[in-house]
Amino acid sequence: MLTVHIPSPLRSYTKNQAIVEASGKSVNELLKNLDGAYAGIRFRMVDEQDAIRQHIRIFVERQPVHNLSMELKGNELVHIICALSGG
């Protein structure tokens, strides 16, 4: 299982859980499995062209994710970061 840190703006999908567990052999599979458990969360991170949204950053063991096909070992720590904006 992967340990996934969920940012505050997305915690409404996880019933306010800051840390959840999920599985996946790739980042894409992980996000799909998260969406299966927490409906709608994937769309907030990935657009219609299967690209990570501009305001989202995903890190696996401190390595930035640039491609959803990045392979996972199954025991990594995953951080999802949301950029904040305002004016």
Coordinates of all heavy atoms in Angstrom, one line a residue:
M1 N 0.8 -1.2 0.0 CA 0.0 0.0 0.0 C 0.9 1.3 0.0 O 1.9 1.3 0.6 CB -0.9 0.0 1.2 CG -2.1 -0.9 1.2 SD -3.1 -0.5 -0.2 CE -4.7 -0.6 0.5
L2 N 0.4 2.2 -0.7 CA 1.0 3.5 -0.7 C 0.4 4.5 0.3 O -0.8 4.4 0.5 CB 0.9 4.2 -2.1 CG 1.5 3.3 -3.2 CD1 0.7 3.6 -4.5 CD2 2.9 3.7 -3.4
T3 N 1.2 5.3 1.0 CA 0.7 6.3 1.9 C 0.6 7.6 1.1 O 1.6 8.1 0.6 CB 1.6 6.4 3.1 OG1 1.7 5.2 3.7 CG2 1.1 7.4 4.1
V4 N -0.6 8.2 1.1 CA -0.9 9.4 0.3 C -1.3 10.5 1.2 O -2.3 10.4 1.9 CB -2.0 9.1 -0.8 CG1 -2.2 10.4 -1.6 CG2 -1.7 7.9 -1.6
H5 N -0.5 11.6 1.1 CA -0.8 12.8 1.9 C -1.7 13.7 1.0 O -1.4 14.1 -0.1 CB 0.4 13.6 2.3 CG 1.2 12.9 3.4 ND1 1.2 13.4 4.7 CD2 2.0 11.8 3.4 CE1 1.9 12.6 5.4 NE2 2.4 11.6 4.6
I6 N -2.9 14.0 1.6 CA -3.9 14.8 0.8 C -3.9 16.2 1.3 O -3.9 16.5 2.5 CB -5.3 14.2 1.1 CG1 -5.4 12.7 0.8 CG2 -6.4 15.0 0.4 CD1 -5.2 12.4 -0.7
P7 N -3.8 17.2 0.4 CA -3.8 18.6 0.8 C -5.2 19.1 1.3 O -6.2 18.5 0.9 CB -3.4 19.3 -0.5 CG -3.9 18.4 -1.6 CD -3.8 17.0 -1.1
S8 N -5.2 20.1 2.1 CA -6.4 20.6 2.6 C -7.6 20.8 1.6 O -8.7 20.5 1.9 CB -6.2 21.9 3.4 OG -5.2 21.8 4.3
P9 N -7.3 21.5 0.4 CA -8.4 21.7 -0.5 C -9.0 20.5 -1.0 O -10.1 20.5 -1.6 CB -7.7 22.5 -1.6 CG -6.5 23.1 -1.0 CD -6.0 22.1 0.0
L10 N -8.4 19.3 -0.9 CA -9.0 18.1 -1.4 C -9.5 17.1 -0.4 O -10.1 16.1 -0.6 CB -8.0 17.3 -2.3 CG -7.5 18.0 -3.5 CD1 -6.4 17.2 -4.2 CD2 -8.6 18.3 -4.5
R11 N -9.4 17.5 0.9 CA -9.8 16.7 2.0 C -11.3 16.5 2.1 O -11.8 15.6 2.7 CB -9.3 17.2 3.3 CG -7.8 16.9 3.4 CD -7.2 17.3 4.7 NE -5.7 17.3 4.6 CZ -5.0 18.0 5.4 NH1 -5.4 18.7 6.4 NH2 -3.7 18.0 5.2
S12 N -12.1 17.4 1.5 CA -13.6 17.2 1.5 C -13.9 15.8 0.8 O -14.9 15.2 1.1 CB -14.3 18.3 0.8 OG -13.9 18.4 -0.5
Y13 N -13.1 15.4 -0.1 CA -13.3 14.1 -0.8 C -13.0 12.9 0.1 O -13.5 11.8 -0.1 CB -12.5 14.0 -2.1 CG -12.9 15.0 -3.2 CD1 -12.3 16.3 -3.2 CD2 -13.9 14.7 -4.0 CE1 -12.7 17.2 -4.2 CE2 -14.4 15.6 -5.0 CZ -13.8 16.9 -5.1 OH -14.2 17.8 -6.0
T14 N -12.0 13.1 1.0 CA -11.6 12.0 1.8 C -12.2 12.1 3.2 O -11.6 11.5 4.2 CB -10.0 12.0 1.9 OG1 -9.6 13.2 2.5 CG2 -9.4 11.8 0.6
K15 N -13.3 12.7 3.4 CA -13.9 12.9 4.7 C -12.9 13.5 5.7 O -12.8 13.1 6.8 CB -14.5 11.6 5.2 CG -15.5 11.0 4.3 CD -16.1 9.7 4.7 CE -17.1 9.3 3.7 NZ -17.3 7.8 3.7
N16 N -12.2 14.5 5.2 CA -11.2 15.3 6.0 C -10.0 14.5 6.5 O -9.3 14.9 7.4 CB -11.9 16.0 7.2 CG -12.8 17.1 6.7 OD1 -12.4 17.9 5.8 ND2 -14.0 17.2 7.3
Q17 N -9.7 13.4 5.9 CA -8.5 12.6 6.2 C -7.3 13.2 5.5 O -7.4 13.4 4.3 CB -8.7 11.2 5.8 CG -9.8 10.4 6.5 CD -9.8 9.0 6.0 OE1 -9.0 8.1 6.4 NE2 -10.8 8.7 5.1
A18 N -6.3 13.5 6.3 CA -5.1 14.1 5.7 C -4.2 13.0 5.1 O -3.4 13.3 4.2 CB -4.3 14.8 6.8
I19 N -4.3 11.8 5.5 CA -3.5 10.7 5.0 C -4.4 9.5 4.7 O -5.2 9.1 5.6 CB -2.4 10.3 6.1 CG1 -1.5 11.5 6.3 CG2 -1.6 9.1 5.6 CD1 -0.5 11.3 7.5
V20 N -4.3 9.0 3.5 CA -5.0 7.8 3.1 C -4.1 6.8 2.6 O -2.9 7.1 2.2 CB -6.1 8.1 2.1 CG1 -7.1 9.1 2.7 CG2 -5.6 8.7 0.8
E21 N -4.5 5.6 2.4 CA -3.8 4.5 1.8 C -4.5 4.1 0.5 O -5.7 4.1 0.5 CB -3.6 3.3 2.7 CG -2.7 3.6 3.9 CD -2.3 2.4 4.7 OE1 -3.0 1.3 4.6 OE2 -1.3 2.4 5.4
A22 N -3.7 3.8 -0.5 CA -4.2 3.3 -1.8 C -3.1 2.4 -2.4 O -2.0 2.4 -2.0 CB -4.6 4.5 -2.6
S23 N -3.5 1.8 -3.5 CA -2.6 0.9 -4.2 C -2.5 1.4 -5.7 O -3.4 2.2 -6.1 CB -3.0 -0.5 -4.1 OG -4.3 -0.7 -4.8
G24 N -1.5 0.9 -6.4 CA -1.4 1.2 -7.8 C 0.1 0.9 -8.2 O 1.0 1.1 -7.4
K25 N 0.2 0.4 -9.4 CA 1.5 0.1 -10.0 C 2.1 1.3 -10.7 O 3.3 1.3 -11.1 CB 1.4 -1.1 -10.9 CG 1.1 -2.4 -10.1 CD 1.1 -3.6 -11.0 CE 0.7 -4.8 -10.1 NZ 0.9 -6.0 -10.7
S26 N 1.3 2.3 -10.9 CA 1.7 3.6 -11.6 C 0.9 4.7 -10.9 O 0.0 4.5 -10.2 CB 1.4 3.6 -13.1 OG 0.0 3.6 -13.3
V27 N 1.4 5.9 -11.1 CA 0.7 7.1 -10.6 C -0.7 7.1 -11.1 O -1.7 7.4 -10.4 CB 1.5 8.4 -10.9 CG1 0.7 9.6 -10.4 CG2 2.8 8.4 -10.2
N28 N -0.9 6.8 -12.4 CA -2.2 6.9 -13.0 C -3.2 5.9 -12.3 O -4.3 6.2 -12.0 CB -2.1 6.6 -14.5 CG -3.4 6.8 -15.2 OD1 -4.1 7.8 -14.9 ND2 -3.8 6.0 -16.2
E29 N -2.7 4.6 -12.1 CA -3.5 3.6 -11.4 C -3.8 4.0 -10.0 O -4.9 3.8 -9.5 CB -2.7 2.3 -11.5 CG -3.6 1.1 -11.0 CD -2.8 -0.2 -11.2 OE1 -2.3 -0.5 -12.3 OE2 -2.8 -0.9 -10.2
L30 N -2.8 4.6 -9.3 CA -3.0 5.1 -7.9 C -4.2 6.1 -7.9 O -5.1 6.0 -7.1 CB -1.7 5.8 -7.4 CG -1.9 6.6 -6.1 CD1 -2.3 5.7 -4.9 CD2 -0.6 7.4 -5.9
L31 N -4.1 7.1 -8.8 CA -5.2 8.1 -8.9 C -6.5 7.6 -9.2 O -7.6 8.0 -8.7 CB -4.8 9.3 -9.8 CG -3.5 10.1 -9.4 CD1 -3.2 11.1 -10.5 CD2 -3.6 10.6 -8.1
K32 N -6.6 6.6 -10.1 CA -7.8 5.9 -10.4 C -8.4 5.2 -9.2 O -9.6 5.2 -8.9 CB -7.7 5.0 -11.6 CG -7.5 5.7 -12.9 CD -7.4 4.8 -14.1 CE -7.3 5.5 -15.4 NZ -7.1 4.7 -16.5
N33 N -7.5 4.5 -8.4 CA -7.9 3.8 -7.2 C -8.4 4.8 -6.2 O -9.3 4.5 -5.4 CB -6.8 2.9 -6.7 CG -6.6 1.7 -7.6 OD1 -7.5 1.3 -8.4 ND2 -5.4 1.1 -7.6
L34 N -7.7 5.9 -6.1 CA -8.1 6.9 -5.1 C -9.5 7.4 -5.5 O -10.4 7.6 -4.6 CB -7.2 8.1 -5.1 CG -6.0 8.1 -4.2 CD1 -5.1 9.3 -4.4 CD2 -6.3 7.9 -2.8
D35 N -9.8 7.6 -6.8 CA -11.1 8.0 -7.3 C -12.1 7.0 -7.0 O -13.3 7.3 -6.7 CB -11.0 8.4 -8.8 CG -12.2 9.3 -9.2 OD1 -12.3 10.4 -8.7 OD2 -13.0 8.8 -10.0
G36 N -11.8 5.7 -7.0 CA -12.7 4.7 -6.7 C -13.2 4.7 -5.3 O -14.3 4.5 -4.9
A37 N -12.2 5.1 -4.4 CA -12.5 5.2 -3.0 C -13.1 6.6 -2.6 O -13.9 6.6 -1.7 CB -11.3 4.9 -2.2
Y38 N -12.7 7.6 -3.3 CA -13.1 9.0 -3.0 C -13.6 9.6 -4.3 O -12.8 10.4 -4.9 CB -12.0 9.7 -2.4 CG -11.3 9.0 -1.2 CD1 -10.1 8.4 -1.3 CD2 -12.0 8.9 0.0 CE1 -9.5 7.7 -0.3 CE2 -11.5 8.2 1.1 CZ -10.2 7.6 0.9 OH -9.7 6.9 2.0
A39 N -14.8 9.4 -4.7 CA -15.3 9.8 -6.0 C -15.1 11.3 -6.3 O -15.4 12.1 -5.4 CB -16.8 9.5 -6.1
G40 N -14.5 11.6 -7.4 CA -14.3 12.9 -7.9 C -13.0 13.5 -7.6 O -12.6 14.5 -8.2
I41 N -12.2 12.9 -6.8 CA -10.9 13.5 -6.4 C -9.9 13.5 -7.6 O -9.2 14.5 -7.8 CB -10.3 12.7 -5.2 CG1 -9.2 13.6 -4.6 CG2 -9.8 11.3 -5.5 CD1 -8.7 13.1 -3.3
R42 N -9.9 12.5 -8.5 CA -9.0 12.4 -9.6 C -9.2 13.6 -10.5 O -8.2 14.2 -11.0 CB -9.1 11.1 -10.4 CG -8.1 11.0 -11.5 CD -8.3 9.6 -12.2 NE -7.2 9.4 -13.1 CZ -7.2 9.9 -14.4 NH1 -8.2 10.7 -14.8 NH2 -6.1 9.7 -15.2
F43 N -10.4 14.0 -10.8 CA -10.7 15.1 -11.7 C -10.2 16.4 -11.2 O -9.9 17.3 -12.0 CB -12.2 15.2 -12.0 CG -12.6 16.3 -13.0 CD1 -12.3 16.1 -14.3 CD2 -13.1 17.5 -12.6 CE1 -12.6 17.1 -15.2 CE2 -13.4 18.5 -13.5 CZ -13.2 18.3 -14.8
R44 N -10.0 16.5 -9.9 CA -9.4 17.8 -9.3 C -7.9 17.8 -9.5 O -7.3 18.9 -9.4 CB -9.8 17.9 -7.9 CG -11.2 18.0 -7.6 CD -11.7 19.3 -8.1 NE -13.2 19.4 -7.9 CZ -14.0 20.1 -8.6 NH1 -13.5 20.9 -9.6 NH2 -15.2 20.2 -8.4
M45 N -7.3 16.7 -9.9 CA -5.9 16.6 -10.0 C -5.4 16.4 -11.5 O -4.3 16.8 -11.9 CB -5.3 15.5 -9.2 CG -5.5 15.7 -7.7 SD -4.8 14.4 -6.8 CE -6.1 13.2 -6.8
V46 N -6.3 15.8 -12.3 CA -6.0 15.4 -13.7 C -7.0 16.0 -14.6 O -8.2 15.8 -14.4 CB -5.9 13.9 -13.8 CG1 -5.6 13.5 -15.2 CG2 -4.8 13.3 -12.9
D47 N -6.6 16.6 -15.7 CA -7.6 17.2 -16.7 C -8.1 16.2 -17.7 O -7.7 15.0 -17.6 CB -7.0 18.4 -17.4 CG -5.8 18.1 -18.3 OD1 -5.6 16.9 -18.7 OD2 -5.0 19.1 -18.6
E48 N -8.9 16.6 -18.6 CA -9.5 15.7 -19.6 C -8.5 15.1 -20.6 O -8.8 14.1 -21.2 CB -10.5 16.5 -20.4 CG -11.7 17.0 -19.6 CD -11.5 18.3 -18.9 OE1 -10.3 18.9 -19.0 OE2 -12.4 18.8 -18.3
Q49 N -7.3 15.7 -20.7 CA -6.2 15.1 -21.5 C -5.3 14.2 -20.7 O -4.2 13.9 -21.2 CB -5.4 16.2 -22.2 CG -6.2 17.0 -23.3 CD -7.2 18.0 -22.7 OE1 -6.9 18.6 -21.7 NE2 -8.3 18.1 -23.3
D50 N -5.7 13.8 -19.5 CA -4.9 13.0 -18.7 C -3.5 13.6 -18.3 O -2.5 13.0 -18.2 CB -4.6 11.6 -19.2 CG -5.8 10.6 -18.9 OD1 -6.6 10.9 -17.9 OD2 -5.9 9.6 -19.5
A51 N -3.5 14.9 -18.1 CA -2.3 15.7 -17.7 C -2.6 16.2 -16.3 O -3.7 16.5 -15.9 CB -2.1 16.8 -18.6
I52 N -1.5 16.2 -15.5 CA -1.7 16.8 -14.1 C -2.0 18.3 -14.3 O -1.3 19.0 -15.0 CB -0.4 16.6 -13.4 CG1 -0.1 15.1 -13.2 CG2 -0.5 17.2 -12.0 CD1 1.3 14.7 -12.7
R53 N -3.0 18.7 -13.6 CA -3.4 20.1 -13.6 C -2.3 21.0 -13.2 O -1.5 20.6 -12.4 CB -4.7 20.3 -12.8 CG -5.9 19.6 -13.3 CD -7.1 20.0 -12.6 NE -8.3 19.2 -13.1 CZ -9.0 19.6 -14.1 NH1 -8.7 20.7 -14.8 NH2 -10.0 18.8 -14.5
Q54 N -2.3 22.2 -13.7 CA -1.2 23.2 -13.5 C -1.0 23.5 -12.0 O 0.1 23.8 -11.6 CB -1.4 24.5 -14.3 CG -1.2 24.3 -15.7 CD -1.3 25.6 -16.5 OE1 -2.1 26.5 -16.1 NE2 -0.6 25.8 -17.5
H55 N -2.1 23.5 -11.2 CA -1.9 23.9 -9.8 C -1.7 22.8 -8.9 O -1.6 22.9 -7.7 CB -3.2 24.7 -9.4 CG -4.4 23.8 -9.4 ND1 -5.1 23.5 -10.5 CD2 -5.0 23.2 -8.4 CE1 -6.1 22.7 -10.2 NE2 -6.1 22.5 -8.9
I56 N -1.5 21.6 -9.5 CA -1.2 20.4 -8.7 C 0.2 19.9 -8.9 O 0.7 19.9 -10.0 CB -2.2 19.2 -9.1 CG1 -3.6 19.6 -8.8 CG2 -1.8 17.9 -8.4 CD1 -4.0 19.7 -7.3
R57 N 0.9 19.5 -7.8 CA 2.2 18.8 -7.9 C 2.0 17.5 -7.1 O 1.4 17.5 -6.0 CB 3.3 19.7 -7.2 CG 3.5 21.0 -7.9 CD 4.1 20.8 -9.3 NE 4.4 22.1 -10.0 CZ 3.5 22.7 -10.8 NH1 2.3 22.2 -11.1 NH2 3.8 23.8 -11.4
I58 N 2.6 16.5 -7.6 CA 2.6 15.2 -7.0 C 4.1 14.8 -6.8 O 4.9 14.9 -7.8 CB 1.9 14.1 -7.8 CG1 0.4 14.6 -8.0 CG2 1.9 12.8 -7.2 CD1 -0.4 13.7 -9.0
F59 N 4.4 14.3 -5.7 CA 5.8 13.8 -5.4 C 5.7 12.4 -4.8 O 4.9 12.1 -4.0 CB 6.4 14.7 -4.3 CG 6.7 16.1 -4.8 CD1 5.7 17.1 -4.6 CD2 7.9 16.5 -5.3 CE1 5.9 18.4 -5.1 CE2 8.1 17.8 -5.8 CZ 7.1 18.7 -5.7
V60 N 6.6 11.6 -5.3 CA 6.8 10.2 -4.8 C 8.1 10.1 -4.2 O 9.1 10.3 -4.9 CB 6.6 9.2 -5.9 CG1 6.8 7.8 -5.4 CG2 5.2 9.3 -6.6
E61 N 8.2 9.9 -2.9 CA 9.5 9.9 -2.2 C 10.4 11.1 -2.6 O 11.5 10.9 -2.9 CB 10.2 8.6 -2.4 CG 9.5 7.4 -1.9 CD 9.4 7.3 -0.4 OE1 10.3 7.9 0.3 OE2 8.5 6.7 0.2
R62 N 9.8 12.3 -2.5 CA 10.5 13.5 -2.8 C 10.8 13.8 -4.3 O 11.4 14.8 -4.7 CB 11.7 13.7 -2.0 CG 11.4 13.8 -0.5 CD 12.6 14.0 0.3 NE 12.3 14.0 1.7 CZ 13.2 14.2 2.7 NH1 14.4 14.4 2.4 NH2 12.8 14.2 3.9
Q63 N 10.5 12.8 -5.2 CA 10.7 13.0 -6.6 C 9.5 13.5 -7.3 O 8.4 13.0 -7.1 CB 11.1 11.6 -7.2 CG 12.4 11.0 -6.7 CD 13.6 11.8 -7.1 OE1 13.6 12.5 -8.1 NE2 14.6 11.8 -6.2
P64 N 9.6 14.6 -8.0 CA 8.4 15.2 -8.7 C 7.9 14.2 -9.8 O 8.7 13.6 -10.5 CB 8.9 16.5 -9.3 CG 10.4 16.4 -9.3 CD 10.8 15.4 -8.3
V65 N 6.6 14.2 -9.9 CA 5.9 13.3 -10.9 C 5.6 14.2 -12.1 O 4.9 15.2 -11.9 CB 4.7 12.7 -10.4 CG1 3.9 12.0 -11.5 CG2 5.0 11.7 -9.2
H66 N 6.1 13.9 -13.3 CA 5.9 14.6 -14.5 C 5.0 13.9 -15.4 O 4.4 14.4 -16.4 CB 7.2 15.0 -15.2 CG 8.1 15.9 -14.3 ND1 7.8 17.1 -13.9 CD2 9.2 15.6 -13.7 CE1 8.7 17.6 -13.2 NE2 9.6 16.7 -13.0
N67 N 4.9 12.6 -15.2 CA 4.1 11.7 -16.1 C 3.3 10.7 -15.3 O 3.9 10.0 -14.4 CB 5.2 11.0 -17.0 CG 4.5 10.2 -18.1 OD1 3.4 9.7 -18.0 ND2 5.2 10.2 -19.2
L68 N 2.1 10.6 -15.6 CA 1.2 9.7 -14.9 C 1.6 8.2 -15.0 O 1.2 7.4 -14.2 CB -0.3 9.8 -15.3 CG -0.9 11.2 -15.0 CD1 -2.3 11.2 -15.5 CD2 -0.9 11.4 -13.5
S69 N 2.4 7.9 -16.0 CA 2.8 6.5 -16.2 C 4.0 6.1 -15.3 O 4.4 4.9 -15.3 CB 3.2 6.2 -17.6 OG 4.3 7.0 -18.0
M70 N 4.5 7.0 -14.5 CA 5.6 6.7 -13.5 C 5.2 5.5 -12.7 O 4.2 5.4 -12.1 CB 5.8 7.9 -12.6 CG 6.9 7.7 -11.6 SD 7.1 9.2 -10.6 CE 8.4 8.7 -9.5
E71 N 6.1 4.5 -12.7 CA 5.9 3.3 -12.0 C 6.1 3.5 -10.5 O 6.9 4.3 -10.0 CB 6.8 2.2 -12.5 CG 6.5 1.8 -13.9 CD 7.3 0.6 -14.3 OE1 8.0 -0.1 -13.5 OE2 7.4 0.4 -15.6
L72 N 5.3 2.7 -9.7 CA 5.4 2.8 -8.2 C 5.8 1.4 -7.7 O 5.4 0.4 -8.3 CB 4.0 3.2 -7.6 CG 3.5 4.6 -8.1 CD1 2.1 4.8 -7.6 CD2 4.5 5.7 -7.5
K73 N 6.5 1.3 -6.6 CA 6.9 0.1 -6.0 C 5.8 -0.5 -5.1 O 5.8 -1.7 -4.9 CB 8.2 0.3 -5.3 CG 9.3 0.7 -6.1 CD 10.5 0.9 -5.3 CE 11.6 1.5 -6.2 NZ 12.7 2.1 -5.4
G74 N 5.0 0.3 -4.5 CA 3.9 -0.1 -3.7 C 4.0 0.2 -2.2 O 3.1 0.0 -1.4
N75 N 5.2 0.8 -1.8 CA 5.3 1.2 -0.4 C 5.8 2.6 -0.3 O 6.3 2.9 0.8 CB 6.3 0.2 0.3 CG 7.6 0.1 -0.4 OD1 7.9 0.7 -1.4 ND2 8.6 -0.6 0.2
E76 N 5.7 3.4 -1.3 CA 6.2 4.8 -1.3 C 5.3 5.7 -0.5 O 4.1 5.4 -0.3 CB 6.4 5.3 -2.7 CG 7.6 4.7 -3.4 CD 7.1 3.7 -4.5 OE1 6.0 3.2 -4.4 OE2 7.8 3.5 -5.4
L77 N 5.9 6.9 -0.2 CA 5.1 8.0 0.4 C 4.8 8.9 -0.8 O 5.7 9.4 -1.5 CB 6.0 8.6 1.4 CG 5.4 9.8 2.2 CD1 4.1 9.4 2.9 CD2 6.4 10.3 3.2
V78 N 3.5 9.3 -0.9 CA 3.1 10.2 -2.0 C 2.5 11.4 -1.4 O 1.7 11.4 -0.5 CB 2.0 9.5 -2.9 CG1 1.6 10.4 -4.0 CG2 2.6 8.2 -3.5
H79 N 3.0 12.6 -1.9 CA 2.5 13.9 -1.4 C 1.8 14.5 -2.6 O 2.4 14.7 -3.7 CB 3.6 14.8 -0.9 CG 4.1 14.4 0.4 ND1 3.6 14.9 1.6 CD2 5.1 13.6 0.8 CE1 4.3 14.4 2.6 NE2 5.2 13.6 2.1
I80 N 0.6 15.0 -2.4 CA -0.1 15.8 -3.4 C -0.2 17.2 -2.8 O -0.6 17.5 -1.7 CB -1.5 15.3 -3.6 CG1 -1.5 13.8 -4.1 CG2 -2.3 16.1 -4.6 CD1 -2.8 13.1 -4.1
I81 N 0.3 18.2 -3.7 CA 0.4 19.6 -3.3 C -0.5 20.4 -4.2 O -0.5 20.2 -5.4 CB 1.8 20.1 -3.4 CG1 2.8 19.1 -2.7 CG2 2.0 21.5 -2.9 CD1 2.7 19.0 -1.2
C82 N -1.3 21.3 -3.6 CA -2.1 22.2 -4.4 C -1.5 23.6 -4.2 O -1.3 24.1 -3.1 CB -3.5 22.3 -3.8 SG -4.5 20.8 -4.2
A83 N -1.3 24.3 -5.3 CA -0.9 25.7 -5.3 C -2.1 26.5 -4.8 O -3.3 26.2 -5.2 CB -0.4 26.2 -6.6
L84 N -1.9 27.6 -4.1 CA -2.9 28.5 -3.6 C -2.8 29.8 -4.4 O -1.8 30.2 -4.8 CB -2.8 28.8 -2.1 CG -2.9 27.6 -1.2 CD1 -2.7 28.0 0.2 CD2 -4.3 26.9 -1.4
S85 N -4.0 30.4 -4.7 CA -4.0 31.6 -5.4 C -5.0 32.5 -4.8 O -5.9 32.1 -4.0 CB -4.2 31.4 -6.9 OG -5.5 30.9 -7.1
G86 N -5.0 33.7 -5.1 CA -5.9 34.7 -4.5 C -5.5 36.1 -4.9 O -4.6 36.3 -5.6
G87 N -6.3 37.0 -4.4 CA -6.0 38.4 -4.8 C -6.7 39.3 -4.0 O -7.4 39.1 -3.1

